[in-house]
mmCIF file of all heavy atoms in Angstrom:
data_model
loop_
_atom_site.group_PDB
_atom_site.id
_atom_site.type_symbol
_atom_site.label_atom_id
_atom_site.label_comp_id
_atom_site.label_asym_id
_atom_site.label_seq_id
_atom_site.Cartn_x
_atom_site.Cartn_y
_atom_site.Cartn_z
ATOM 1 N N GLU M 310 -108.742 -80.042 135.906
ATOM 2 C CA GLU M 310 -107.539 -79.238 136.138
ATOM 3 C C GLU M 310 -107.733 -78.273 137.309
ATOM 4 O O GLU M 310 -106.811 -78.067 138.100
ATOM 5 C CB GLU M 310 -107.179 -78.458 134.869
ATOM 6 C CG GLU M 310 -106.674 -79.338 133.751
ATOM 7 C CD GLU M 310 -106.584 -78.609 132.420
ATOM 8 O OE1 GLU M 310 -107.418 -77.723 132.144
ATOM 9 O OE2 GLU M 310 -105.672 -78.944 131.646
ATOM 10 N N GLY M 312 -109.672 -78.808 139.900
ATOM 11 C CA GLY M 312 -109.589 -79.641 141.099
ATOM 12 C C GLY M 312 -108.154 -80.004 141.450
ATOM 13 O O GLY M 312 -107.746 -79.921 142.615
ATOM 14 N N ALA M 313 -107.373 -80.401 140.454
ATOM 15 C CA ALA M 313 -105.978 -80.783 140.690
ATOM 16 C C ALA M 313 -105.169 -79.583 141.175
ATOM 17 O O ALA M 313 -104.332 -79.707 142.085
ATOM 18 C CB ALA M 313 -105.364 -81.363 139.423
ATOM 19 N N HIS M 314 -105.421 -78.418 140.598
ATOM 20 C CA HIS M 314 -104.718 -77.213 141.024
ATOM 21 C C HIS M 314 -105.084 -76.866 142.470
ATOM 22 O O HIS M 314 -104.215 -76.556 143.287
ATOM 23 C CB HIS M 314 -105.047 -76.052 140.091
ATOM 24 C CG HIS M 314 -104.345 -74.785 140.431
ATOM 25 N ND1 HIS M 314 -102.978 -74.690 140.518
ATOM 26 C CD2 HIS M 314 -104.823 -73.551 140.727
ATOM 27 C CE1 HIS M 314 -102.637 -73.452 140.844
ATOM 28 N NE2 HIS M 314 -103.755 -72.747 140.982
ATOM 29 N N GLY M 315 -106.359 -76.966 142.798
ATOM 30 C CA GLY M 315 -106.801 -76.713 144.169
ATOM 31 C C GLY M 315 -106.158 -77.675 145.159
ATOM 32 O O GLY M 315 -105.767 -77.275 146.262
ATOM 33 N N ARG M 317 -103.243 -79.128 144.844
ATOM 34 C CA ARG M 317 -101.830 -78.745 145.012
ATOM 35 C C ARG M 317 -101.709 -77.543 145.955
ATOM 36 O O ARG M 317 -100.827 -77.505 146.816
ATOM 37 C CB ARG M 317 -101.193 -78.425 143.653
ATOM 38 C CG ARG M 317 -100.925 -79.662 142.799
ATOM 39 C CD ARG M 317 -100.087 -79.329 141.575
ATOM 40 N NE ARG M 317 -100.720 -78.385 140.671
ATOM 41 C CZ ARG M 317 -101.583 -78.710 139.702
ATOM 42 N NH1 ARG M 317 -101.916 -79.973 139.502
ATOM 43 N NH2 ARG M 317 -102.100 -77.778 138.918
ATOM 44 N N HIS M 322 -100.456 -75.507 151.422
ATOM 45 C CA HIS M 322 -100.929 -74.819 152.634
ATOM 46 C C HIS M 322 -100.747 -75.703 153.863
ATOM 47 O O HIS M 322 -100.271 -75.242 154.908
ATOM 48 C CB HIS M 322 -102.407 -74.444 152.449
ATOM 49 C CG HIS M 322 -103.053 -73.909 153.673
ATOM 50 N ND1 HIS M 322 -102.917 -72.593 154.065
ATOM 51 C CD2 HIS M 322 -103.824 -74.500 154.606
ATOM 52 C CE1 HIS M 322 -103.583 -72.411 155.187
ATOM 53 N NE2 HIS M 322 -104.138 -73.543 155.539
ATOM 54 N N GLY M 326 -98.014 -75.434 157.076
ATOM 55 C CA GLY M 326 -98.484 -75.423 158.454
ATOM 56 C C GLY M 326 -97.926 -76.548 159.296
ATOM 57 O O GLY M 326 -98.320 -76.725 160.454
ATOM 58 N N GLY M 327 -97.043 -77.362 158.726
ATOM 59 C CA GLY M 327 -96.382 -78.408 159.490
ATOM 60 C C GLY M 327 -96.921 -79.806 159.309
ATOM 61 O O GLY M 327 -96.438 -80.750 159.940
ATOM 62 N N ASN M 334 -104.985 -88.679 146.851
ATOM 63 C CA ASN M 334 -105.988 -89.297 145.975
ATOM 64 C C ASN M 334 -106.104 -90.803 146.183
ATOM 65 O O ASN M 334 -106.150 -91.576 145.231
ATOM 66 C CB ASN M 334 -105.695 -88.974 144.509
ATOM 67 C CG ASN M 334 -105.637 -87.487 144.271
ATOM 68 O OD1 ASN M 334 -104.570 -86.942 143.986
ATOM 69 N ND2 ASN M 334 -106.751 -86.811 144.418
ATOM 70 N N CYS M 337 -110.716 -96.304 147.165
ATOM 71 C CA CYS M 337 -111.192 -97.651 147.451
ATOM 72 C C CYS M 337 -112.597 -97.739 146.860
ATOM 73 O O CYS M 337 -113.060 -96.799 146.212
ATOM 74 C CB CYS M 337 -111.196 -97.940 148.956
ATOM 75 S SG CYS M 337 -112.449 -97.048 149.898
ATOM 76 N N TRP M 339 -115.402 -97.383 148.068
ATOM 77 C CA TRP M 339 -116.400 -96.464 148.628
ATOM 78 C C TRP M 339 -116.146 -95.010 148.254
ATOM 79 O O TRP M 339 -116.944 -94.153 148.559
ATOM 80 C CB TRP M 339 -116.463 -96.604 150.149
ATOM 81 C CG TRP M 339 -116.913 -97.961 150.548
ATOM 82 C CD1 TRP M 339 -118.158 -98.493 150.419
ATOM 83 C CD2 TRP M 339 -116.100 -98.985 151.105
ATOM 84 N NE1 TRP M 339 -118.167 -99.790 150.863
ATOM 85 C CE2 TRP M 339 -116.913 -100.115 151.300
ATOM 86 C CE3 TRP M 339 -114.761 -99.052 151.469
ATOM 87 C CZ2 TRP M 339 -116.436 -101.301 151.838
ATOM 88 C CZ3 TRP M 339 -114.288 -100.237 151.996
ATOM 89 C CH2 TRP M 339 -115.127 -101.338 152.173
ATOM 90 N N LEU M 352 -104.114 -88.086 162.784
ATOM 91 C CA LEU M 352 -104.191 -88.586 161.418
ATOM 92 C C LEU M 352 -105.420 -87.924 160.813
ATOM 93 O O LEU M 352 -106.522 -88.022 161.365
ATOM 94 C CB LEU M 352 -104.330 -90.105 161.411
ATOM 95 C CG LEU M 352 -104.402 -90.753 160.034
ATOM 96 C CD1 LEU M 352 -103.076 -90.580 159.293
ATOM 97 C CD2 LEU M 352 -104.744 -92.218 160.166
ATOM 98 N N ALA M 364 -120.969 -68.526 143.002
ATOM 99 C CA ALA M 364 -122.347 -68.480 142.500
ATOM 100 C C ALA M 364 -123.194 -69.604 143.089
ATOM 101 O O ALA M 364 -124.384 -69.419 143.359
ATOM 102 C CB ALA M 364 -122.360 -68.542 140.975
ATOM 103 N N GLY M 366 -122.363 -71.074 145.966
ATOM 104 C CA GLY M 366 -121.917 -71.171 147.352
ATOM 105 C C GLY M 366 -120.408 -71.272 147.424
ATOM 106 O O GLY M 366 -119.728 -71.467 146.421
ATOM 107 N N SER M 371 -120.058 -76.534 150.239
ATOM 108 C CA SER M 371 -120.411 -77.687 149.409
ATOM 109 C C SER M 371 -120.209 -79.027 150.118
ATOM 110 O O SER M 371 -120.543 -80.070 149.574
ATOM 111 C CB SER M 371 -119.605 -77.666 148.104
ATOM 112 O OG SER M 371 -118.238 -77.928 148.362
ATOM 113 N N LYS M 376 -121.512 -86.137 152.900
ATOM 114 C CA LYS M 376 -120.104 -86.191 152.501
ATOM 115 C C LYS M 376 -119.217 -86.431 153.716
ATOM 116 O O LYS M 376 -118.272 -87.218 153.664
ATOM 117 C CB LYS M 376 -119.705 -84.896 151.786
ATOM 118 C CG LYS M 376 -118.267 -84.874 151.323
ATOM 119 C CD LYS M 376 -118.024 -85.881 150.222
ATOM 120 C CE LYS M 376 -116.628 -85.746 149.665
ATOM 121 N NZ LYS M 376 -116.374 -86.680 148.577
ATOM 122 N N VAL M 377 -119.510 -85.771 154.841
ATOM 123 C CA VAL M 377 -118.731 -85.959 156.064
ATOM 124 C C VAL M 377 -118.813 -87.416 156.528
ATOM 125 O O VAL M 377 -117.801 -88.012 156.904
ATOM 126 C CB VAL M 377 -119.199 -84.987 157.174
ATOM 127 C CG1 VAL M 377 -118.568 -85.333 158.509
ATOM 128 C CG2 VAL M 377 -118.867 -83.553 156.783
ATOM 129 N N ARG M 379 -119.344 -90.028 154.640
ATOM 130 C CA ARG M 379 -118.553 -90.828 153.698
ATOM 131 C C ARG M 379 -117.066 -90.680 153.996
ATOM 132 O O ARG M 379 -116.322 -91.663 153.981
ATOM 133 C CB ARG M 379 -118.835 -90.405 152.264
ATOM 134 C CG ARG M 379 -117.969 -91.188 151.269
ATOM 135 C CD ARG M 379 -118.244 -90.837 149.839
ATOM 136 N NE ARG M 379 -119.610 -91.201 149.519
ATOM 137 C CZ ARG M 379 -120.323 -90.611 148.569
ATOM 138 N NH1 ARG M 379 -119.792 -89.631 147.862
ATOM 139 N NH2 ARG M 379 -121.549 -91.008 148.321
ATOM 140 N N TRP M 387 -109.000 -96.329 155.074
ATOM 141 C CA TRP M 387 -107.584 -96.031 154.867
ATOM 142 C C TRP M 387 -106.761 -96.601 156.024
ATOM 143 O O TRP M 387 -105.706 -97.204 155.805
ATOM 144 C CB TRP M 387 -107.367 -94.519 154.748
ATOM 145 C CG TRP M 387 -105.962 -94.169 154.340
ATOM 146 C CD1 TRP M 387 -105.505 -93.988 153.071
ATOM 147 C CD2 TRP M 387 -104.827 -94.002 155.204
ATOM 148 N NE1 TRP M 387 -104.145 -93.706 153.092
ATOM 149 C CE2 TRP M 387 -103.714 -93.714 154.393
ATOM 150 C CE3 TRP M 387 -104.642 -94.066 156.588
ATOM 151 C CZ2 TRP M 387 -102.441 -93.480 154.906
ATOM 152 C CZ3 TRP M 387 -103.375 -93.848 157.112
ATOM 153 C CH2 TRP M 387 -102.286 -93.554 156.269
ATOM 154 N N VAL M 395 -100.690 -96.069 161.032
ATOM 155 C CA VAL M 395 -101.622 -95.551 162.028
ATOM 156 C C VAL M 395 -100.975 -95.666 163.397
ATOM 157 O O VAL M 395 -100.500 -96.728 163.771
ATOM 158 C CB VAL M 395 -102.954 -96.339 161.998
ATOM 159 C CG1 VAL M 395 -103.901 -95.825 163.064
ATOM 160 C CG2 VAL M 395 -103.584 -96.251 160.617
ATOM 161 N N GLY M 398 -103.500 -91.799 168.606
ATOM 162 C CA GLY M 398 -103.730 -90.372 168.424
ATOM 163 C C GLY M 398 -105.093 -90.166 167.810
ATOM 164 O O GLY M 398 -105.796 -91.122 167.472
ATOM 165 N N LEU M 400 -108.100 -89.172 165.241
ATOM 166 C CA LEU M 400 -108.466 -89.176 163.829
ATOM 167 C C LEU M 400 -109.305 -87.932 163.615
ATOM 168 O O LEU M 400 -110.146 -87.591 164.448
ATOM 169 C CB LEU M 400 -109.278 -90.418 163.474
ATOM 170 C CG LEU M 400 -108.582 -91.757 163.625
ATOM 171 C CD1 LEU M 400 -109.545 -92.885 163.280
ATOM 172 C CD2 LEU M 400 -107.342 -91.836 162.746
ATOM 173 N N VAL M 407 -110.734 -73.885 148.451
ATOM 174 C CA VAL M 407 -109.870 -73.051 147.609
ATOM 175 C C VAL M 407 -110.774 -72.307 146.629
ATOM 176 O O VAL M 407 -111.553 -72.925 145.903
ATOM 177 C CB VAL M 407 -108.847 -73.908 146.832
ATOM 178 C CG1 VAL M 407 -107.976 -73.033 145.939
ATOM 179 C CG2 VAL M 407 -107.994 -74.730 147.790
ATOM 180 N N GLY M 413 -106.021 -65.412 138.764
ATOM 181 C CA GLY M 413 -105.073 -66.476 139.050
ATOM 182 C C GLY M 413 -104.735 -66.560 140.529
ATOM 183 O O GLY M 413 -104.144 -67.528 140.975
ATOM 184 N N HIS M 419 -108.984 -73.255 155.708
ATOM 185 C CA HIS M 419 -108.795 -74.576 156.274
ATOM 186 C C HIS M 419 -109.662 -74.690 157.528
ATOM 187 O O HIS M 419 -109.490 -73.925 158.468
ATOM 188 C CB HIS M 419 -107.313 -74.766 156.626
ATOM 189 C CG HIS M 419 -106.987 -76.091 157.218
ATOM 190 N ND1 HIS M 419 -105.756 -76.367 157.742
ATOM 191 C CD2 HIS M 419 -107.702 -77.228 157.370
ATOM 192 C CE1 HIS M 419 -105.736 -77.605 158.195
ATOM 193 N NE2 HIS M 419 -106.914 -78.139 157.997
ATOM 194 N N ARG M 421 -110.625 -77.237 160.513
ATOM 195 C CA ARG M 421 -110.192 -78.464 161.195
ATOM 196 C C ARG M 421 -111.369 -79.075 161.962
ATOM 197 O O ARG M 421 -112.187 -78.362 162.533
ATOM 198 C CB ARG M 421 -109.070 -78.136 162.174
ATOM 199 C CG ARG M 421 -107.772 -77.765 161.516
ATOM 200 C CD ARG M 421 -106.763 -77.218 162.526
ATOM 201 N NE ARG M 421 -105.465 -76.973 161.917
ATOM 202 C CZ ARG M 421 -105.165 -75.877 161.231
ATOM 203 N NH1 ARG M 421 -106.066 -74.940 161.054
ATOM 204 N NH2 ARG M 421 -103.957 -75.732 160.729
ATOM 205 N N GLY M 422 -111.399 -80.390 161.990
ATOM 206 C CA GLY M 422 -112.372 -81.085 162.816
ATOM 207 C C GLY M 422 -113.811 -80.965 162.342
ATOM 208 O O GLY M 422 -114.708 -80.749 163.145
#
Side-chain angles (χ1 to χ4, degrees):
E310 290 169 326
H314 181 57
R317 287 190 298 274
H322 172 82
N334 303 112
C337 70
W339 297 289
L352 181 66
S371 69
K376 181 67 174 182
V377 170
R379 177 178 297 154
W387 188 92
V395 178
L400 297 178
V407 179
H419 180 188
R421 290 170 175 82

